[in-house]
Amino acid sequence: MVVVTAVVAAVAIGVAVTLIANSPATPRGPRPLTTDEANRLAVTRFLNYQAGGRAVTITVPTTSGGLVITGSVDYRAHLGYGVVRGTGRDTSSDGLIQWNSTAVFVHPMTDSLAEPPVTPPGSGWHQRPLTTSGSSLDSALLITLGLGNDRPDNAELLPQNGATWVRDDQVRGRRVDVMAGPAARAKPDTAGNVRYWVDSDSTLHRVEADVASEPQPVVIDLNARPYVPVQPAPGVTP
């Protein structure tokens, strides 16, 4: 009986070893982009522009809590609009927000809204310049605006500038490839600072971006809700 048990165990081990040896290797990244992956990454921003805009949820970590912006971005007018909700000490930031590439417009509100009103309030907006460094919120707003472009990127240059495949993932039941973006212009050390969740149709579902002012990345979710066209608030120039 002991001999039979030992033989069965040996056979089981042999089968397991054979299965492991013959099973396809689990891909691990980062690795260079394939031609198909580079082509899909190259057209994601162009597809956003062609669609006119996308619904977005932007999660911004901060040292005092965090901010979540729920709204839409018009990629042809380069204009965003949404509801801001804060946690921790950032609850004082609750209200409405609009932004373009140079300015941020905020409208404080005491009542929390799930969605921004289609027609922005006619008064009560406060304007400030959009800063290009030192603010995780403003960095997130700029990155979100930059996710649409009127022409595809150059697929051949993406791998040359450091774009890579990172891993497989799923977003809302859709299988996606997570790809790390290329280096910013003239800044080779920035390769991989922005990561894109792209499906087989080249649709962009999520973006993570490292910002210098925070240890946690900014997360931008797209396509979670229907896109609502953005109407400029008073004084906002697309």
Side-chain angles (χ1 to χ4, degrees):
M1 184 67 178
V2 173
V3 173
V4 173
T5 303
V7 171
V8 172
V11 171
I13 292 172
V15 171
V17 170
T18 301
L19 290 174
I20 292 172
N22 293 332
S23 64
T26 301
R28 296 182 180 276
R31 59 158 173 77
L33 295 178
T34 65
T35 300
D36 172 69
E37 290 162 354
N39 286 334
R40 284 191 284 130
L41 181 59
V43 300
T44 55
R45 296 194 302 147
F46 179 62
L47 293 182
N48 285 344
Y49 181 86
Q50 280 193 318
R54 298 286 301 273
V56 297
T57 300
I58 309 169
T59 303
V60 184
T62 69
T63 55
S64 55
L67 299 169
V68 176
I69 299 171
T70 304
S72 297
V73 175
D74 184 329
Y75 283 113
R76 299 191 180 186
H78 292 283
L79 183 65
Y81 174 46
V83 172
V84 182
R85 292 188 300 277
T87 59
R89 285 181 291 169
D90 285 328
T91 54
S92 60
S93 301
D94 287 3
L96 300 175
I97 186 171
Q98 280 208 1
W99 72 97
N100 55 29
S101 59
T102 60
V104 177
F105 301 79
V106 294
H107 188 292
M109 299 184 71
T110 56
D111 297 328
S112 178
L113 300 175
E115 299 281 346
V118 174
T119 301
S123 61
W125 292 90
H126 304 277
Q127 178 182 354
R128 67 169 176 80
L130 188 149
T131 60
T132 57
S133 62
S135 167
S136 56
L137 171 60
D138 288 13
S139 295
L141 299 180
L142 274 176
I143 292 168
T144 306
L145 280 183
L147 298 178
N149 196 12
D150 60 358
R151 59 177 63 87
D153 296 327
N154 189 323
E156 294 182 358
L157 292 180
L158 292 176
Q160 296 179 25
N161 291 333
T164 58
W165 182 92
V166 179
R167 67 180 187 275
D168 289 320
D169 202 353
Q170 285 197 356
V171 177
R172 295 181 291 276
R174 292 292 300 270
R175 181 198 171 277
V176 296
D177 291 294
V178 182
M179 307 182 205
R185 186 172 300 175
K187 295 181 178 180
D189 59 328
T190 59
N193 283 4
V194 182
R195 294 162 294 281
Y196 304 86
W197 275 246
V198 183
D199 70 16
S200 59
D201 296 328
S202 304
T203 301
L204 183 61
H205 291 267
R206 178 175 295 160
V207 172
E208 272 190 7
D210 300 326
V211 294
S213 56
E214 297 297 337
Q216 299 298 319
V218 165
V219 179
I220 305 162
D221 278 302
L222 302 96
N223 207 30
R225 308 173 319 285
Y227 165 65
V228 178
V230 178
Q231 297 183 25
V236 179
T237 303

